[in-house]
Amino acid sequence: MASIELQNVNKWYGNAVHAVREISFKIEDGEFFGLLGPSGSGKTSVLRMLAGLETVTEGDILFDGASVTDQTPQQRNIAMVFEQNALYPHMTARQNIAYPLKIRGKSKTEMDEMVGDVARMLHIDHLIDRRASQMSGGQQQRVAIARALVRRPNLLCLDEPIAHLDTLLRARLRGELKRLQRSLGTTSVIVTHDPIEAMTMTDRLAVMRDGVLQQIGSPDEIHNRPVNAFVSQFFGLHSMNLFRLEGLRESAGRFSGSLNDTHAEVPRSAMAHADKSDRLLVGCRPHAVEVVKQGETPPADTFRITGRVYVAEPLGEVTLVTIQIGDLTVQALDARKRDYAIDEEVTVAVPQSALYAFDTETEETVAFGEGADMLPDADLRAV
Ligand code: ADP
Ligand code: MG
């Protein structure tokens, strides 16, 4: 186990691709850390540099305060699990898991004990004498994880380890990996493009975009206090809805603006974040949206704009309503579970306290909405 630090790390592939740009952060000993970002954002490059599988173009990597930048993966004592596992198909689970111990010259008794322990933890003890080629994808991935953990590495590197499994299995392995990591306390880094994986499993995570670190924090911090519009849309069970308004004006003490030529009512408090050109960028999570049907009175002091129901999808305790406003799509979670007709005209109403505001140019967050952590449980199960 070790603490890990990246200092001003850059990765260039040739002269053209600057895949990782000046990244610095620290991972505490025993932490489960996530690297999250869209495809091509540089996550795998960072992980491979941590592992020693890829050279660092500029900068330094430290394990427990000492530079390992020029060390091999073996010297760093890291273990890695990839999306596509690299098990020996003709070997049994036991032989695969024991392999890293065997090449380190462990005795048979030691090996049996260590393999038995990790196999029980991963619920594969009943498969222990089956060949890898005769196992399902999920079983193979458990064996690959067992093989990575059996020799107690300083750092466990996981690159999209469960991405290709089916939904139910993924949800199960997510929980098991978290439990296992907690009980072993092995410093671990997982690369994923799936915000749900990053959110549910990790202690803290780094969000990346185009090789640039956007934000580091706990899942709750990043969810509730995203640093910019990109993070707010990328992270979370449901993206932040964003409303880009222009032509803000006041009339008889009320404020309004337009979004793709559609009229919107703007609460007074949000006007503080308007730019010099009378534009405003605000957002809210879907649970904060109230869907107001025709004939109902929208609540006062709300951001309001009218559109049409694109589709409504029941998620058990709540209904996910997608509303089309010009070419903008807005999502709402309706806890009242009302019926919606396709193309029904509805008004989206957002209490001013739930609104986030972003700089219209840089898209950095300038004000946080309240209560962004009130995600209904039903929703998690639906994913
Ligand atoms: P991610 O894991 O987030 O999808 P990667 O770290 O794999 O991102 O890639 C980041 C960028 O670097 C991408 O633009 C990718 O095409 C490029 N890249 C990755 N590996 C190589 C390589 N071996 N040679 C050239 N370009 C690469
Ligand atoms: Mg990758």
Side-chain angles (χ1 to χ4, degrees), residues 23-101:
I23 283 190
S24 301
F25 60 82
K26 190 167 179 201
I27 303 170
E28 302 299 334
D29 188 3
E31 205 171 19
F32 199 168
F33 194 87
L35 289 169
L36 175 73
S39 175
S41 56
K43 309 178 296 291
T44 294
S45 299
V46 169
L47 192 72
R48 290 176 59 85
M49 287 191 286
L50 283 180
L53 293 165
E54 195 70 68
T55 57
V56 176
T57 313
E58 251 175 63
D60 227 350
I61 292 174
L62 290 78
F63 279 24
D64 284 334
S67 174
V68 295
T69 313
D70 298 319
Q71 288 186 1
T72 63
Q74 290 74 22
Q75 289 169 320
R76 297 182 198 193
N77 187 24
I78 67 97
M80 185 118 182
V81 178
F82 303 94
E83 178 170 0
Q84 295 302 329
N85 72 72
L87 298 180
Y88 298 103
H90 59 283
M91 286 193 197
T92 63
R94 184 195 304 280
Q95 290 166 331
N96 268 289
I97 299 169
Y99 192 76
L101 301 176

Side-chain angles (χ1 to χ4, degrees), residues 25 42 50 55 81 115 148 160 169 173 215 270 297 304 307-308 326 345 358 371:
F25 60 82
L50 283 180
T55 57
V81 178
V115 171
E160 311 259 9
L169 196 55
L173 264 176
Q215 184 168 11
T297 312
R304 294 195 292 281
R308 290 187 182 278
E345 189 175 293
F358 304 92

Side-chain angles (χ1 to χ4, degrees), residues 315-328:
L315 294 179
E317 277 106 332
V318 291
T319 299
L320 177 65
V321 191
T322 305
I323 299 142
Q324 194 85 39
I325 304 166
D327 55 11
L328 177 74

